[in-house]
């Protein structure tokens, strides 16, 4: 009885966490080295997200942070375009999952001379 109650509690507690948006993969990947020019940024999550309430902020080698216009090619995906110059870049993402929870993270990548 006690075990069942504990197990039930664990399952209930685990369920909302499973719906958090977790980044599964991205392009560019964290730590990637790219060449300069226009780039398609793409982030894939494990759950559906509310693209309208999600945010992508890109900081370039000049230290300036730009909020990117977000496209949502799929319910679990965010996309954006950026023109990348040589140097270090940080892409910060914040997404609202359908369970109402916000998750955030950042990707760092480098643009190198060809
Ligand atoms: Cu959640």
């Amino acid at each position: 009885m006690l075990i069942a109650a504990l197990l039930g509690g664990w399952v209930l507690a685990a369920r909302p966490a499973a719906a958090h948006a977790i980044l599964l993969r991205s392009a560019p990947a964290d730590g990637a080295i790219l060449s300069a020019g226009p780039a398609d940024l793409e982030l894939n999550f494990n759950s559906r997200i509310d693209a309208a309430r999600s945010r992508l902020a890109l900081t370039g080698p000049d230290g300036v942070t730009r909020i990117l216009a977000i496209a949502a090619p799929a319910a679990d995906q965010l996309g954006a375009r950026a023109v990348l110059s040589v140097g270090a870049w940080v892409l910060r993402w914040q997404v609202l999952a359908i369970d109402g929870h916000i998750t955030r993270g950042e990707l760092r990548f480098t643009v190198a001379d060809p």
Side-chain angles (χ1 to χ4, degrees):
M1 190 62 182
L2 179 62
I3 289 168
L6 286 173
L7 211 58
W10 181 79
V11 169
L12 287 176
R15 194 168 289 152
H20 278 45
I22 295 164
L23 185 66
L24 295 181
R25 60 185 182 279
S26 66
D30 188 41
I33 298 172
L34 317 176
S35 46
D40 285 313
L41 312 175
E42 194 179 283
L43 289 83
N44 292 271
F45 296 89
N46 67 324
S47 79
R48 293 176 56 186
I49 50 181
D50 184 343
R53 292 183 185 155
S54 298
R55 214 165 87 122
L56 294 177
L58 184 64
T59 305
D62 56 4
V64 175
T65 298
R66 303 156 189 85
I67 304 301
L68 302 178
I70 290 178
D76 58 357
Q77 212 174 52
L78 292 182
R81 276 185 79 76
V83 178
L84 305 175
S85 54
V86 171
W89 293 78
V90 183
L91 177 64
R92 292 186 180 82
W93 56 267
Q94 176 178 304
V95 302
L96 178 68
I98 46 163
D99 72 345
H101 292 144
I102 290 170
T103 49
R104 51 178 73 84
E106 62 179 46
L107 301 165
R108 291 172 180 273
F109 54 92
T110 304
V111 175
D113 268 324

